[in-house]
Amino acid sequence: MDLIQGLIVITTIHFLAAAAPGPDFVLVSQQTLTHGKKTGLLCSIGITLGLSIHLIYSALGLAAIIANSSSALWAIKIIGGCYLMYLGYKGLTSKKATNIAADETTQTIPKEKSALKSIGAGFLCNALNPKAPIYFVSLFTLVLSPDLSLSHLLIYGTWIMAIQFIWFSSVVLLLSRPAINKKFQAMGHWVDRVTGVAMIALGLKVITTKLN
């Protein structure tokens, strides 16, 4: 498979994978609606950087080893599932914001998180996904070959990360639109609680679902 064909395959498959609802989507949505566009974009950067971990070990041929190692997958499942439930707990225990002014013309400004925390949350959410090794084994089996050049490998990896960031930044920009964001802001802490429940459910699903 030549470079162009490989890019077409990767674009189609990974865009669908990125767009599928999952922990990354829930986290980005929650961070954007609660803390604003900047935090959502930083979280998206973290998710993209987390993807680099999977790309590196896949390029080294470790993805197949991890995907076929029950002990390695079990450890990743427990750590990843517990982290998702921790994020869910943080959402459930968030405090209701107080209204400083009742004037309709006054816009509530979301409290931004630090850049490091926002990027770190996204990074860990993606890097601890136990389904990633299996996914990348399947994806790279279609486009990788023993004689693949390093330059092509770098192009594939960079493009996959670009797709990831483009998708999640688009989600952030959509949820940051004033008309949409205002409706969610009116619900306040209930957004945190709903996404918190979703995160806990996803964490439990990760821990209890058989991956192979």
Side-chain angles (χ1 to χ4, degrees), residues 66-203:
I66 296 173
N68 289 285
S69 172
S70 58
S71 59
L73 281 177
W74 181 85
I76 297 173
K77 280 176 58 177
I78 298 300
I79 296 173
C82 288
Y83 179 68
L84 292 177
M85 288 191 288
Y86 165 74
L87 293 177
Y89 170 77
K90 295 280 286 184
L92 286 175
T93 56
S94 65
K95 295 181 179 179
K96 183 177 181 179
T98 56
N99 293 325
I100 299 176
D103 188 353
E104 292 183 355
T105 60
T106 303
Q107 184 177 2
T108 303
I109 301 176
K111 182 180 179 181
E112 293 183 353
K113 295 174 62 177
S114 70
L116 186 60
K117 286 184 177 181
S118 299
I119 294 174
F123 177 85
L124 289 175
C125 187
N126 187 274
L128 294 176
N129 184 354
K131 294 184 179 180
I134 299 173
Y135 167 73
F136 280 105
V137 165
S138 302
L139 178 62
F140 281 174
T141 297
L142 296 174
V143 298
L144 296 187
S145 61
D147 58 344
L148 186 70
S149 66
L150 178 60
S151 61
H152 283 195
L153 184 61
L154 290 174
I155 291 172
Y156 285 145
T158 302
W159 182 235
I160 288 173
M161 293 178 68
I163 293 172
Q164 192 88 350
F165 181 72
I166 289 171
W167 166 250
F168 284 110
S169 60
S170 298
V171 171
V172 171
L173 294 177
L174 175 63
L175 294 178
S176 299
R177 291 171 63 91
I180 296 176
N181 192 264
K182 186 177 180 181
K183 292 181 180 179
F184 281 101
Q185 288 296 328
M187 292 184 283
H189 66 300
W190 289 109
V191 172
D192 284 332
R193 280 155 174 69
V194 171
T195 54
V197 171
M199 277 292 187
I200 290 175
L202 286 169

